[in-house]
Amino acid sequence: MARAWDVNGLAPNAGFRDAAGRIVLTRWREMLSYRDGTLVGDDIEELHAMRVSSRRLRAAMDAFADVFPAASFRRYLREVKRITDTLGDARDLDVAIEHLTILLPEVDGVDRPGIEGLIDRYEQQRRAEDARIRALVDRLEQERFADRFEAWVHKHTGIDVATLAPAPPAGA
Amino acid sequence: MAKPRPVGGIDPTRRVRPNARKILAMRIDEIYQYDGLVGDPANVTELHDMRIAFKRLRYLIEIFGDAFEADLVPYLDQVKAMQDLLGDIHDCDVQVPMLGEHLAWLERQETESVERMLTSPRRARTPDDPEIALARFKSRLDTARRADERPGIHTLMAMRRAQRIALYNQFTHEWRRLKHARFRQRLEHALGLG
């Protein structure tokens, strides 16, 4: 599993609002860093890392919910949840295909057609998930979601993403 | 999925630690509310909800861990282990019905294929020799049928059911061990609660 990015400037005695901005924006940029790899689709670990990051982001938003106005918080959280869920459906199929493919050489001959057929079906379903992921990413870009999200966090926490400069851990 | 209970008294103008204590105390309590319910392996929903409760606590310890002086990593490892174990149980609980759905899907595919075969215009070109006609019919029927795919799916279902029993036994053992080791009390002490 991809290591979580360190949160720049987070002091042990930090204020709740300050910590909220730093952690939420770091997890947000961490998730975005896997977007291109997920869309290319050559490595299933890219999608997995993006999903894990999106879950970390959701958890951070939940933890700091009281920092944000309730109505706008619900809207942004719903969108982040949609990202997690969309990636989750694809990830579940990736895991199932990988598991069955590993299992295949170990099973009796009589069981193979069924498992091969199931892999075929899951692979078809997985291709359909690629289109759903692409559609979601395109819509979010069209709606300039990233800019709005970062501005929203800045407005309510005082943390600016450019100044924070979240970055992957050294060697990642 | 059970929603997290709202935490009152959070003050965004204060420091992280006093707010984190309130949130963590609530999430720890949420895990233990399933204590009496997960003793029955048939309580699939409660086992799933307990997994979600462990997951919430795990992420919160990761988020707020730096605000506490105590080393929370050993607690985090325990919480993660329980979340993973309950996750594996949940995978089995989800996959067995999915495999059952796949069997039903195979049957529908087979029915459609056989119907297509029986109504195909090719039937009009049936050879006069009844033996040749029967052999061709059997050949086309074999192609349309997917009976050979069923044994593998039944085997997978049996594997998942056996795995589920073993995982649940492991879970009850681990849960008893955590309670015996006073995990909750030690974690709450490390967080300065109570």
Side-chain angles (χ1 to χ4, degrees), chain A residues 1 13-14 16-17 19 55 59-60 63 66 99 103 111 114 118 121-122, chain B residues 12 14-16 19 23 55 58-59 101-102 105 149 151-152 155-156 160:
Chain A
M1 189 166 70
N13 62 347
F16 199 64
R17 200 181 291 280
R55 284 168 68 161
D66 288 274
H99 171 77
L103 186 69
D111 290 329
L118 188 58
R121 192 175 173 212
Y122 284 167
Chain B
R14 294 188 73 192
R15 305 217 170 273
V16 169
N19 287 315
I23 299 170
K55 185 175 79 174
R58 173 195 159 191
Y59 281 129
E101 186 277 330
H102 185 65
W105 180 81
E149 293 188 34
T155 299
L156 283 176
R160 285 281 171 259

PDB file of all heavy atoms in Angstrom, chain A residues 1 13-14 16-17 19 55 59-60 63 66 99 103 111 114 118 121-122, chain B residues 12 14-16 19 23 55 58-59 101-102 105 149 151-152 155-156 160:
ATOM      1  N   MET A   1       0.846  -1.195   0.000  1.00  0.00           N
ATOM      2  CA  MET A   1       0.000   0.000   0.000  1.00  0.00           C
ATOM      3  C   MET A   1       0.885   1.249   0.000  1.00  0.00           C
ATOM      4  O   MET A   1       1.895   1.292   0.694  1.00  0.00           O
ATOM      5  CB  MET A   1      -0.899  -0.011   1.231  1.00  0.00           C
ATOM      6  CG  MET A   1      -1.957   1.061   1.215  1.00  0.00           C
ATOM      7  SD  MET A   1      -3.230   0.792   2.458  1.00  0.00           S
ATOM      8  CE  MET A   1      -2.338   1.122   3.966  1.00  0.00           C
ATOM      9  N   ASN A  13       1.233  20.507  18.806  1.00  0.00           N
ATOM     10  CA  ASN A  13       0.244  21.329  19.534  1.00  0.00           C
ATOM     11  C   ASN A  13      -0.534  22.252  18.580  1.00  0.00           C
ATOM     12  O   ASN A  13      -0.959  23.339  18.950  1.00  0.00           O
ATOM     13  CB  ASN A  13       0.940  22.163  20.613  1.00  0.00           C
ATOM     14  CG  ASN A  13       1.945  23.127  19.998  1.00  0.00           C
ATOM     15  OD1 ASN A  13       2.288  22.995  18.827  1.00  0.00           O
ATOM     16  ND2 ASN A  13       2.407  24.086  20.782  1.00  0.00           N
ATOM     17  N   ALA A  14      -0.697  21.785  17.355  1.00  0.00           N
ATOM     18  CA  ALA A  14      -1.353  22.599  16.319  1.00  0.00           C
ATOM     19  C   ALA A  14      -2.789  22.924  16.695  1.00  0.00           C
ATOM     20  O   ALA A  14      -3.441  22.171  17.430  1.00  0.00           O
ATOM     21  CB  ALA A  14      -1.333  21.842  14.996  1.00  0.00           C
ATOM     22  N   PHE A  16      -6.746  23.198  15.850  1.00  0.00           N
ATOM     23  CA  PHE A  16      -7.606  22.239  15.141  1.00  0.00           C
ATOM     24  C   PHE A  16      -7.844  22.689  13.694  1.00  0.00           C
ATOM     25  O   PHE A  16      -7.753  21.893  12.762  1.00  0.00           O
ATOM     26  CB  PHE A  16      -8.934  22.140  15.893  1.00  0.00           C
ATOM     27  CG  PHE A  16      -9.734  20.906  15.577  1.00  0.00           C
ATOM     28  CD1 PHE A  16      -9.262  19.647  15.876  1.00  0.00           C
ATOM     29  CD2 PHE A  16     -10.985  21.015  14.966  1.00  0.00           C
ATOM     30  CE1 PHE A  16     -10.017  18.500  15.597  1.00  0.00           C
ATOM     31  CE2 PHE A  16     -11.733  19.885  14.681  1.00  0.00           C
ATOM     32  CZ  PHE A  16     -11.250  18.634  15.002  1.00  0.00           C
ATOM     33  N   ARG A  17      -8.123  23.979  13.515  1.00  0.00           N
ATOM     34  CA  ARG A  17      -8.429  24.504  12.184  1.00  0.00           C
ATOM     35  C   ARG A  17      -7.199  24.428  11.267  1.00  0.00           C
ATOM     36  O   ARG A  17      -7.308  24.021  10.104  1.00  0.00           O
ATOM     37  CB  ARG A  17      -8.896  25.960  12.332  1.00  0.00           C
ATOM     38  CG  ARG A  17      -9.675  26.504  11.166  1.00  0.00           C
ATOM     39  CD  ARG A  17     -10.064  27.957  11.412  1.00  0.00           C
ATOM     40  NE  ARG A  17     -11.044  28.132  12.462  1.00  0.00           N
ATOM     41  CZ  ARG A  17     -12.360  27.944  12.299  1.00  0.00           C
ATOM     42  NH1 ARG A  17     -12.835  27.576  11.138  1.00  0.00           N
ATOM     43  NH2 ARG A  17     -13.191  28.133  13.302  1.00  0.00           N
ATOM     44  N   ALA A  19      -4.624  22.380  11.545  1.00  0.00           N
ATOM     45  CA  ALA A  19      -4.352  20.968  11.246  1.00  0.00           C
ATOM     46  C   ALA A  19      -5.320  20.466  10.182  1.00  0.00           C
ATOM     47  O   ALA A  19      -4.928  19.699   9.282  1.00  0.00           O
ATOM     48  CB  ALA A  19      -4.467  20.127  12.516  1.00  0.00           C
ATOM     49  N   ARG A  55      -9.723   7.424   0.577  1.00  0.00           N
ATOM     50  CA  ARG A  55     -10.293   7.025   1.876  1.00  0.00           C
ATOM     51  C   ARG A  55      -9.633   7.793   3.013  1.00  0.00           C
ATOM     52  O   ARG A  55     -10.297   8.168   3.984  1.00  0.00           O
ATOM     53  CB  ARG A  55     -10.152   5.519   2.070  1.00  0.00           C
ATOM     54  CG  ARG A  55     -11.183   4.775   1.234  1.00  0.00           C
ATOM     55  CD  ARG A  55     -10.908   3.311   1.164  1.00  0.00           C
ATOM     56  NE  ARG A  55     -11.089   2.647   2.438  1.00  0.00           N
ATOM     57  CZ  ARG A  55     -11.259   1.344   2.571  1.00  0.00           C
ATOM     58  NH1 ARG A  55     -11.293   0.579   1.502  1.00  0.00           N
ATOM     59  NH2 ARG A  55     -11.394   0.802   3.742  1.00  0.00           N
ATOM     60  N   ALA A  59     -11.607  10.269   5.548  1.00  0.00           N
ATOM     61  CA  ALA A  59     -11.454  10.147   7.002  1.00  0.00           C
ATOM     62  C   ALA A  59     -11.017  11.481   7.603  1.00  0.00           C
ATOM     63  O   ALA A  59     -11.502  11.887   8.668  1.00  0.00           O
ATOM     64  CB  ALA A  59     -10.432   9.060   7.330  1.00  0.00           C
ATOM     65  N   ALA A  60     -10.109  12.178   6.912  1.00  0.00           N
ATOM     66  CA  ALA A  60      -9.641  13.477   7.404  1.00  0.00           C
ATOM     67  C   ALA A  60     -10.789  14.486   7.400  1.00  0.00           C
ATOM     68  O   ALA A  60     -10.962  15.255   8.349  1.00  0.00           O
ATOM     69  CB  ALA A  60      -8.480  13.971   6.547  1.00  0.00           C
ATOM     70  N   ALA A  63     -13.050  13.743  10.264  1.00  0.00           N
ATOM     71  CA  ALA A  63     -12.441  14.098  11.553  1.00  0.00           C
ATOM     72  C   ALA A  63     -12.537  15.600  11.818  1.00  0.00           C
ATOM     73  O   ALA A  63     -12.697  16.023  12.960  1.00  0.00           O
ATOM     74  CB  ALA A  63     -10.971  13.654  11.574  1.00  0.00           C
ATOM     75  N   ASP A  66     -16.208  19.699  11.817  1.00  0.00           N
ATOM     76  CA  ASP A  66     -16.708  20.879  12.546  1.00  0.00           C
ATOM     77  C   ASP A  66     -16.030  22.186  12.135  1.00  0.00           C
ATOM     78  O   ASP A  66     -16.488  23.259  12.504  1.00  0.00           O
ATOM     79  CB  ASP A  66     -16.536  20.659  14.056  1.00  0.00           C
ATOM     80  CG  ASP A  66     -17.517  19.624  14.569  1.00  0.00           C
ATOM     81  OD1 ASP A  66     -18.648  19.997  14.888  1.00  0.00           O
ATOM     82  OD2 ASP A  66     -17.150  18.430  14.610  1.00  0.00           O
ATOM     83  N   HIS A  99      -6.886 -12.643  -7.690  1.00  0.00           N
ATOM     84  CA  HIS A  99      -7.020 -13.804  -6.806  1.00  0.00           C
ATOM     85  C   HIS A  99      -7.332 -15.071  -7.615  1.00  0.00           C
ATOM     86  O   HIS A  99      -6.723 -16.124  -7.411  1.00  0.00           O
ATOM     87  CB  HIS A  99      -8.114 -13.531  -5.776  1.00  0.00           C
ATOM     88  CG  HIS A  99      -8.477 -14.727  -4.963  1.00  0.00           C
ATOM     89  ND1 HIS A  99      -7.697 -15.185  -3.940  1.00  0.00           N
ATOM     90  CD2 HIS A  99      -9.528 -15.580  -5.053  1.00  0.00           C
ATOM     91  CE1 HIS A  99      -8.243 -16.276  -3.419  1.00  0.00           C
ATOM     92  NE2 HIS A  99      -9.368 -16.521  -4.077  1.00  0.00           N
ATOM     93  N   LEU A 103      -5.159 -18.514  -8.302  1.00  0.00           N
ATOM     94  CA  LEU A 103      -5.749 -19.792  -7.877  1.00  0.00           C
ATOM     95  C   LEU A 103      -5.778 -20.821  -9.016  1.00  0.00           C
ATOM     96  O   LEU A 103      -5.658 -22.036  -8.770  1.00  0.00           O
ATOM     97  CB  LEU A 103      -7.177 -19.515  -7.374  1.00  0.00           C
ATOM     98  CG  LEU A 103      -7.947 -20.649  -6.743  1.00  0.00           C
ATOM     99  CD1 LEU A 103      -7.336 -21.017  -5.388  1.00  0.00           C
ATOM    100  CD2 LEU A 103      -9.419 -20.252  -6.550  1.00  0.00           C
ATOM    101  N   ASP A 111     -12.549 -28.000 -12.441  1.00  0.00           N
ATOM    102  CA  ASP A 111     -12.965 -26.684 -11.918  1.00  0.00           C
ATOM    103  C   ASP A 111     -12.505 -25.519 -12.802  1.00  0.00           C
ATOM    104  O   ASP A 111     -12.956 -24.395 -12.631  1.00  0.00           O
ATOM    105  CB  ASP A 111     -12.413 -26.479 -10.504  1.00  0.00           C
ATOM    106  CG  ASP A 111     -13.090 -27.386  -9.481  1.00  0.00           C
ATOM    107  OD1 ASP A 111     -14.272 -27.702  -9.687  1.00  0.00           O
ATOM    108  OD2 ASP A 111     -12.430 -27.776  -8.505  1.00  0.00           O
ATOM    109  N   GLY A 114     -14.986 -23.181 -15.116  1.00  0.00           N
ATOM    110  CA  GLY A 114     -15.808 -22.261 -14.340  1.00  0.00           C
ATOM    111  C   GLY A 114     -15.030 -21.041 -13.888  1.00  0.00           C
ATOM    112  O   GLY A 114     -15.511 -19.910 -13.973  1.00  0.00           O
ATOM    113  N   LEU A 118     -15.422 -17.186 -15.072  1.00  0.00           N
ATOM    114  CA  LEU A 118     -15.660 -16.105 -14.099  1.00  0.00           C
ATOM    115  C   LEU A 118     -14.648 -14.969 -14.305  1.00  0.00           C
ATOM    116  O   LEU A 118     -15.003 -13.786 -14.263  1.00  0.00           O
ATOM    117  CB  LEU A 118     -15.558 -16.665 -12.675  1.00  0.00           C
ATOM    118  CG  LEU A 118     -15.959 -15.740 -11.530  1.00  0.00           C
ATOM    119  CD1 LEU A 118     -17.387 -15.246 -11.673  1.00  0.00           C
ATOM    120  CD2 LEU A 118     -15.790 -16.455 -10.186  1.00  0.00           C
ATOM    121  N   ARG A 121     -15.739 -12.948 -17.234  1.00  0.00           N
ATOM    122  CA  ARG A 121     -16.873 -12.062 -16.916  1.00  0.00           C
ATOM    123  C   ARG A 121     -16.412 -10.845 -16.117  1.00  0.00           C
ATOM    124  O   ARG A 121     -16.823  -9.718 -16.383  1.00  0.00           O
ATOM    125  CB  ARG A 121     -17.927 -12.846 -16.129  1.00  0.00           C
ATOM    126  CG  ARG A 121     -19.218 -12.068 -16.028  1.00  0.00           C
ATOM    127  CD  ARG A 121     -20.319 -12.856 -15.370  1.00  0.00           C
ATOM    128  NE  ARG A 121     -21.467 -11.997 -15.147  1.00  0.00           N
ATOM    129  CZ  ARG A 121     -22.311 -12.116 -14.135  1.00  0.00           C
ATOM    130  NH1 ARG A 121     -22.150 -13.086 -13.249  1.00  0.00           N
ATOM    131  NH2 ARG A 121     -23.323 -11.291 -14.004  1.00  0.00           N
ATOM    132  N   TYR A 122     -15.545 -11.091 -15.123  1.00  0.00           N
ATOM    133  CA  TYR A 122     -15.038  -9.977 -14.318  1.00  0.00           C
ATOM    134  C   TYR A 122     -14.210  -9.011 -15.182  1.00  0.00           C
ATOM    135  O   TYR A 122     -14.248  -7.798 -14.966  1.00  0.00           O
ATOM    136  CB  TYR A 122     -14.199 -10.490 -13.151  1.00  0.00           C
ATOM    137  CG  TYR A 122     -15.002 -11.075 -12.001  1.00  0.00           C
ATOM    138  CD1 TYR A 122     -14.384 -11.823 -11.003  1.00  0.00           C
ATOM    139  CD2 TYR A 122     -16.369 -10.858 -11.903  1.00  0.00           C
ATOM    140  CE1 TYR A 122     -15.106 -12.354  -9.942  1.00  0.00           C
ATOM    141  CE2 TYR A 122     -17.100 -11.390 -10.849  1.00  0.00           C
ATOM    142  CZ  TYR A 122     -16.469 -12.138  -9.872  1.00  0.00           C
ATOM    143  OH  TYR A 122     -17.193 -12.657  -8.839  1.00  0.00           O
TER     144      TYR A 122
ATOM    145  N   PRO B  12     -13.428  24.283  17.057  1.00  0.00           N
ATOM    146  CA  PRO B  12     -12.353  24.428  16.054  1.00  0.00           C
ATOM    147  C   PRO B  12     -11.305  25.464  16.416  1.00  0.00           C
ATOM    148  O   PRO B  12     -10.216  25.459  15.841  1.00  0.00           O
ATOM    149  CB  PRO B  12     -13.109  24.856  14.787  1.00  0.00           C
ATOM    150  CG  PRO B  12     -14.514  24.438  14.994  1.00  0.00           C
ATOM    151  CD  PRO B  12     -14.756  24.533  16.467  1.00  0.00           C
ATOM    152  N   ARG B  14      -9.858  25.635  19.286  1.00  0.00           N
ATOM    153  CA  ARG B  14      -8.908  25.053  20.268  1.00  0.00           C
ATOM    154  C   ARG B  14      -7.837  24.241  19.541  1.00  0.00           C
ATOM    155  O   ARG B  14      -7.850  24.118  18.320  1.00  0.00           O
ATOM    156  CB  ARG B  14      -9.666  24.160  21.266  1.00  0.00           C
ATOM    157  CG  ARG B  14     -10.618  24.937  22.160  1.00  0.00           C
ATOM    158  CD  ARG B  14     -11.175  24.038  23.239  1.00  0.00           C
ATOM    159  NE  ARG B  14     -10.175  23.727  24.262  1.00  0.00           N
ATOM    160  CZ  ARG B  14     -10.320  22.801  25.192  1.00  0.00           C
ATOM    161  NH1 ARG B  14     -11.431  22.077  25.235  1.00  0.00           N
ATOM    162  NH2 ARG B  14      -9.385  22.576  26.097  1.00  0.00           N
ATOM    163  N   ARG B  15      -6.959  23.635  20.315  1.00  0.00           N
ATOM    164  CA  ARG B  15      -5.903  22.803  19.732  1.00  0.00           C
ATOM    165  C   ARG B  15      -6.471  21.436  19.347  1.00  0.00           C
ATOM    166  O   ARG B  15      -7.602  21.099  19.700  1.00  0.00           O
ATOM    167  CB  ARG B  15      -4.755  22.647  20.724  1.00  0.00           C
ATOM    168  CG  ARG B  15      -4.213  23.972  21.202  1.00  0.00           C
ATOM    169  CD  ARG B  15      -2.722  23.968  21.393  1.00  0.00           C
ATOM    170  NE  ARG B  15      -2.251  25.324  21.622  1.00  0.00           N
ATOM    171  CZ  ARG B  15      -1.919  26.168  20.641  1.00  0.00           C
ATOM    172  NH1 ARG B  15      -1.992  25.785  19.380  1.00  0.00           N
ATOM    173  NH2 ARG B  15      -1.502  27.385  20.910  1.00  0.00           N
ATOM    174  N   VAL B  16      -5.634  20.662  18.668  1.00  0.00           N
ATOM    175  CA  VAL B  16      -6.081  19.359  18.154  1.00  0.00           C
ATOM    176  C   VAL B  16      -6.421  18.410  19.307  1.00  0.00           C
ATOM    177  O   VAL B  16      -7.470  17.753  19.303  1.00  0.00           O
ATOM    178  CB  VAL B  16      -4.997  18.727  17.249  1.00  0.00           C
ATOM    179  CG1 VAL B  16      -5.337  17.274  16.936  1.00  0.00           C
ATOM    180  CG2 VAL B  16      -4.855  19.514  15.952  1.00  0.00           C
ATOM    181  N   ASN B  19      -9.905  18.250  21.209  1.00  0.00           N
ATOM    182  CA  ASN B  19     -10.971  17.843  20.273  1.00  0.00           C
ATOM    183  C   ASN B  19     -10.803  16.374  19.875  1.00  0.00           C
ATOM    184  O   ASN B  19     -11.778  15.624  19.801  1.00  0.00           O
ATOM    185  CB  ASN B  19     -10.932  18.734  19.025  1.00  0.00           C
ATOM    186  CG  ASN B  19     -11.456  20.128  19.313  1.00  0.00           C
ATOM    187  OD1 ASN B  19     -12.484  20.288  19.959  1.00  0.00           O
ATOM    188  ND2 ASN B  19     -10.752  21.145  18.832  1.00  0.00           N
ATOM    189  N   ILE B  23     -13.420  12.960  19.983  1.00  0.00           N
ATOM    190  CA  ILE B  23     -13.774  12.160  18.796  1.00  0.00           C
ATOM    191  C   ILE B  23     -13.330  10.706  18.997  1.00  0.00           C
ATOM    192  O   ILE B  23     -14.086   9.759  18.753  1.00  0.00           O
ATOM    193  CB  ILE B  23     -13.121  12.759  17.528  1.00  0.00           C
ATOM    194  CG1 ILE B  23     -13.619  14.195  17.302  1.00  0.00           C
ATOM    195  CG2 ILE B  23     -13.426  11.900  16.310  1.00  0.00           C
ATOM    196  CD1 ILE B  23     -12.869  14.969  16.216  1.00  0.00           C
ATOM    197  N   LYS B  55     -12.207   0.620  11.303  1.00  0.00           N
ATOM    198  CA  LYS B  55     -11.575   1.414  10.238  1.00  0.00           C
ATOM    199  C   LYS B  55     -11.578   2.895  10.608  1.00  0.00           C
ATOM    200  O   LYS B  55     -10.578   3.593  10.444  1.00  0.00           O
ATOM    201  CB  LYS B  55     -12.315   1.186   8.911  1.00  0.00           C
ATOM    202  CG  LYS B  55     -11.647   1.870   7.731  1.00  0.00           C
ATOM    203  CD  LYS B  55     -12.323   1.519   6.435  1.00  0.00           C
ATOM    204  CE  LYS B  55     -13.587   2.325   6.263  1.00  0.00           C
ATOM    205  NZ  LYS B  55     -14.209   2.128   4.945  1.00  0.00           N
ATOM    206  N   ARG B  58      -9.001   3.510  13.216  1.00  0.00           N
ATOM    207  CA  ARG B  58      -7.651   3.419  12.652  1.00  0.00           C
ATOM    208  C   ARG B  58      -7.253   4.734  11.971  1.00  0.00           C
ATOM    209  O   ARG B  58      -6.179   5.279  12.221  1.00  0.00           O
ATOM    210  CB  ARG B  58      -7.614   2.274  11.638  1.00  0.00           C
ATOM    211  CG  ARG B  58      -6.319   2.209  10.880  1.00  0.00           C
ATOM    212  CD  ARG B  58      -6.444   1.326   9.681  1.00  0.00           C
ATOM    213  NE  ARG B  58      -5.410   1.641   8.724  1.00  0.00           N
ATOM    214  CZ  ARG B  58      -5.384   1.173   7.488  1.00  0.00           C
ATOM    215  NH1 ARG B  58      -6.328   0.369   7.071  1.00  0.00           N
ATOM    216  NH2 ARG B  58      -4.420   1.509   6.677  1.00  0.00           N
ATOM    217  N   TYR B  59      -8.138   5.240  11.109  1.00  0.00           N
ATOM    218  CA  TYR B  59      -7.808   6.483  10.410  1.00  0.00           C
ATOM    219  C   TYR B  59      -7.662   7.645  11.387  1.00  0.00           C
ATOM    220  O   TYR B  59      -6.805   8.508  11.213  1.00  0.00           O
ATOM    221  CB  TYR B  59      -8.871   6.802   9.361  1.00  0.00           C
ATOM    222  CG  TYR B  59      -8.717   5.996   8.085  1.00  0.00           C
ATOM    223  CD1 TYR B  59      -9.778   5.302   7.540  1.00  0.00           C
ATOM    224  CD2 TYR B  59      -7.497   5.953   7.410  1.00  0.00           C
ATOM    225  CE1 TYR B  59      -9.631   4.558   6.375  1.00  0.00           C
ATOM    226  CE2 TYR B  59      -7.341   5.213   6.253  1.00  0.00           C
ATOM    227  CZ  TYR B  59      -8.406   4.523   5.734  1.00  0.00           C
ATOM    228  OH  TYR B  59      -8.259   3.795   4.580  1.00  0.00           O
ATOM    229  N   GLU B 101     -24.969 -15.675  -7.582  1.00  0.00           N
ATOM    230  CA  GLU B 101     -25.521 -14.855  -8.678  1.00  0.00           C
ATOM    231  C   GLU B 101     -24.889 -15.272 -10.001  1.00  0.00           C
ATOM    232  O   GLU B 101     -25.550 -15.301 -11.038  1.00  0.00           O
ATOM    233  CB  GLU B 101     -25.241 -13.372  -8.387  1.00  0.00           C
ATOM    234  CG  GLU B 101     -25.876 -12.390  -9.366  1.00  0.00           C
ATOM    235  CD  GLU B 101     -25.065 -12.203 -10.632  1.00  0.00           C
ATOM    236  OE1 GLU B 101     -23.832 -12.318 -10.594  1.00  0.00           O
ATOM    237  OE2 GLU B 101     -25.676 -11.970 -11.687  1.00  0.00           O
ATOM    238  N   HIS B 102     -23.588 -15.606  -9.968  1.00  0.00           N
ATOM    239  CA  HIS B 102     -22.915 -16.025 -11.203  1.00  0.00           C
ATOM    240  C   HIS B 102     -23.510 -17.344 -11.721  1.00  0.00           C
ATOM    241  O   HIS B 102     -23.679 -17.512 -12.937  1.00  0.00           O
ATOM    242  CB  HIS B 102     -21.415 -16.174 -10.949  1.00  0.00           C
ATOM    243  CG  HIS B 102     -20.631 -16.488 -12.183  1.00  0.00           C
ATOM    244  ND1 HIS B 102     -20.522 -15.599 -13.240  1.00  0.00           N
ATOM    245  CD2 HIS B 102     -19.951 -17.607 -12.563  1.00  0.00           C
ATOM    246  CE1 HIS B 102     -19.793 -16.150 -14.203  1.00  0.00           C
ATOM    247  NE2 HIS B 102     -19.434 -17.370 -13.813  1.00  0.00           N
ATOM    248  N   TRP B 105     -26.615 -16.480 -13.413  1.00  0.00           N
ATOM    249  CA  TRP B 105     -26.292 -15.824 -14.688  1.00  0.00           C
ATOM    250  C   TRP B 105     -25.932 -16.877 -15.749  1.00  0.00           C
ATOM    251  O   TRP B 105     -26.375 -16.791 -16.905  1.00  0.00           O
ATOM    252  CB  TRP B 105     -25.133 -14.854 -14.471  1.00  0.00           C
ATOM    253  CG  TRP B 105     -24.696 -14.107 -15.694  1.00  0.00           C
ATOM    254  CD1 TRP B 105     -25.265 -12.990 -16.233  1.00  0.00           C
ATOM    255  CD2 TRP B 105     -23.580 -14.426 -16.537  1.00  0.00           C
ATOM    256  NE1 TRP B 105     -24.575 -12.591 -17.348  1.00  0.00           N
ATOM    257  CE2 TRP B 105     -23.534 -13.450 -17.563  1.00  0.00           C
ATOM    258  CE3 TRP B 105     -22.611 -15.423 -16.526  1.00  0.00           C
ATOM    259  CZ2 TRP B 105     -22.555 -13.465 -18.562  1.00  0.00           C
ATOM    260  CZ3 TRP B 105     -21.639 -15.432 -17.514  1.00  0.00           C
ATOM    261  CH2 TRP B 105     -21.614 -14.461 -18.519  1.00  0.00           C
ATOM    262  N   GLU B 149     -19.014 -25.181 -16.590  1.00  0.00           N
ATOM    263  CA  GLU B 149     -18.508 -24.060 -15.785  1.00  0.00           C
ATOM    264  C   GLU B 149     -19.008 -24.114 -14.337  1.00  0.00           C
ATOM    265  O   GLU B 149     -18.510 -23.388 -13.483  1.00  0.00           O
ATOM    266  CB  GLU B 149     -18.903 -22.720 -16.416  1.00  0.00           C
ATOM    267  CG  GLU B 149     -18.215 -22.480 -17.754  1.00  0.00           C
ATOM    268  CD  GLU B 149     -18.451 -21.084 -18.287  1.00  0.00           C
ATOM    269  OE1 GLU B 149     -18.555 -20.152 -17.482  1.00  0.00           O
ATOM    270  OE2 GLU B 149     -18.547 -20.946 -19.518  1.00  0.00           O
ATOM    271  N   PRO B 151     -19.047 -26.681 -11.907  1.00  0.00           N
ATOM    272  CA  PRO B 151     -18.274 -27.284 -10.799  1.00  0.00           C
ATOM    273  C   PRO B 151     -17.259 -26.321 -10.183  1.00  0.00           C
ATOM    274  O   PRO B 151     -17.110 -26.273  -8.957  1.00  0.00           O
ATOM    275  CB  PRO B 151     -17.573 -28.480 -11.460  1.00  0.00           C
ATOM    276  CG  PRO B 151     -18.434 -28.815 -12.624  1.00  0.00           C
ATOM    277  CD  PRO B 151     -19.008 -27.520 -13.105  1.00  0.00           C
ATOM    278  N   GLY B 152     -16.570 -25.548 -11.011  1.00  0.00           N
ATOM    279  CA  GLY B 152     -15.562 -24.607 -10.496  1.00  0.00           C
ATOM    280  C   GLY B 152     -16.176 -23.568  -9.580  1.00  0.00           C
ATOM    281  O   GLY B 152     -15.577 -23.183  -8.570  1.00  0.00           O
ATOM    282  N   THR B 155     -17.015 -25.160  -6.314  1.00  0.00           N
ATOM    283  CA  THR B 155     -15.774 -25.345  -5.543  1.00  0.00           C
ATOM    284  C   THR B 155     -15.363 -24.033  -4.870  1.00  0.00           C
ATOM    285  O   THR B 155     -14.992 -24.013  -3.688  1.00  0.00           O
ATOM    286  CB  THR B 155     -14.630 -25.843  -6.465  1.00  0.00           C
ATOM    287  OG1 THR B 155     -15.029 -27.101  -7.012  1.00  0.00           O
ATOM    288  CG2 THR B 155     -13.319 -25.999  -5.715  1.00  0.00           C
ATOM    289  N   LEU B 156     -15.448 -22.937  -5.639  1.00  0.00           N
ATOM    290  CA  LEU B 156     -15.099 -21.627  -5.058  1.00  0.00           C
ATOM    291  C   LEU B 156     -16.007 -21.292  -3.879  1.00  0.00           C
ATOM    292  O   LEU B 156     -15.549 -20.788  -2.850  1.00  0.00           O
ATOM    293  CB  LEU B 156     -15.226 -20.518  -6.111  1.00  0.00           C
ATOM    294  CG  LEU B 156     -14.109 -20.391  -7.149  1.00  0.00           C
ATOM    295  CD1 LEU B 156     -14.458 -19.299  -8.169  1.00  0.00           C
ATOM    296  CD2 LEU B 156     -12.778 -20.057  -6.486  1.00  0.00           C
ATOM    297  N   ARG B 160     -14.799 -20.612  -0.040  1.00  0.00           N
ATOM    298  CA  ARG B 160     -15.119 -19.375   0.681  1.00  0.00           C
ATOM    299  C   ARG B 160     -15.855 -19.669   1.999  1.00  0.00           C
ATOM    300  O   ARG B 160     -15.607 -19.010   3.007  1.00  0.00           O
ATOM    301  CB  ARG B 160     -15.982 -18.457  -0.184  1.00  0.00           C
ATOM    302  CG  ARG B 160     -15.216 -17.780  -1.274  1.00  0.00           C
ATOM    303  CD  ARG B 160     -14.445 -16.598  -0.723  1.00  0.00           C
ATOM    304  NE  ARG B 160     -13.540 -16.052  -1.715  1.00  0.00           N
ATOM    305  CZ  ARG B 160     -12.224 -16.282  -1.751  1.00  0.00           C
ATOM    306  NH1 ARG B 160     -11.654 -17.032  -0.835  1.00  0.00           N
ATOM    307  NH2 ARG B 160     -11.480 -15.764  -2.686  1.00  0.00           N
TER     308      ARG B 160
END
